[in-house]
Amino acid sequence: MEEAAIGNDYHLGGYEYISDKVPSVPYLHERGDTVEYSNPGTSVLYNNEDKMITLNVALDSADTLTLPLLYYKGYVYGFVDGKQQVHNAVQSSDGLVQIPVNYSGTIYVYYKGTLTQKIGFYVSLISVLAFCVYIFMQRKRK
């Protein structure tokens, strides 16, 4: 088995944070890019484009879908049914994104981010602008 090294992305998990719930990096590789579900009457068409995942789901009864994405707080999903409701995804027992589905339709999943990330972004932006103003004022005094 290869040791983790800078040139060995596979054993470093693609430089992503991997939750301790993920059994192993080889597990992610073996699992592949499939959506898992427990109900045999469920069918899912999975499309991952432009940072937006679209799922076309057909169900016989309610089910839970496990997506081939490492879970991070900030993943959300919603149904394309005219309602603008967005729900937070949950973490599965193996550290992946999991969403409950109660009816057939199209579901979109994307990473929205967290409130802490948004606050941090704006604090950083304000800090940079304030520093630029400070430098401008110092040069104007001289």
Side-chain angles (χ1 to χ4, degrees), residues 107-141:
I107 304 169
Y108 58 91
V109 181
Y110 64 96
Y111 186 76
K112 182 179 178 183
T114 64
L115 179 61
T116 304
Q117 290 171 327
K118 291 174 186 172
I119 291 171
F121 171 77
Y122 288 114
V123 167
S124 297
L125 184 64
I126 291 169
S127 299
V128 167
L129 292 175
F131 185 64
C132 291
V133 168
Y134 172 77
I135 291 172
F136 178 75
M137 298 300 279
Q138 290 297 320
R139 287 187 180 185
K140 198 171 185 179
R141 283 185 186 170

Side-chain angles (χ1 to χ4, degrees), residues 22-43:
V22 176
S24 66
V25 174
Y27 164 78
L28 296 173
H29 178 71
E30 291 164 7
R31 186 185 182 288
D33 287 339
T34 59
V35 177
E36 293 180 350
Y37 44 85
S38 56
N39 187 346
T42 299
S43 68

Side-chain angles (χ1 to χ4, degrees), residues 61-104:
S61 61
D63 203 351
T64 302
L65 307 178
T66 304
L67 306 178
L69 302 169
L70 291 172
Y71 174 81
Y72 298 102
K73 275 190 176 179
Y75 268 111
V76 295
Y77 69 96
F79 294 89
V80 181
D81 59 3
K83 300 174 189 169
Q84 295 298 322
Q85 293 182 331
V86 176
H87 309 279
N88 292 322
V90 296
Q91 186 174 22
S92 70
S93 61
D94 56 359
L96 302 176
V97 173
Q98 192 171 53
I99 57 174
V101 181
N102 297 323
Y103 55 91
S104 298

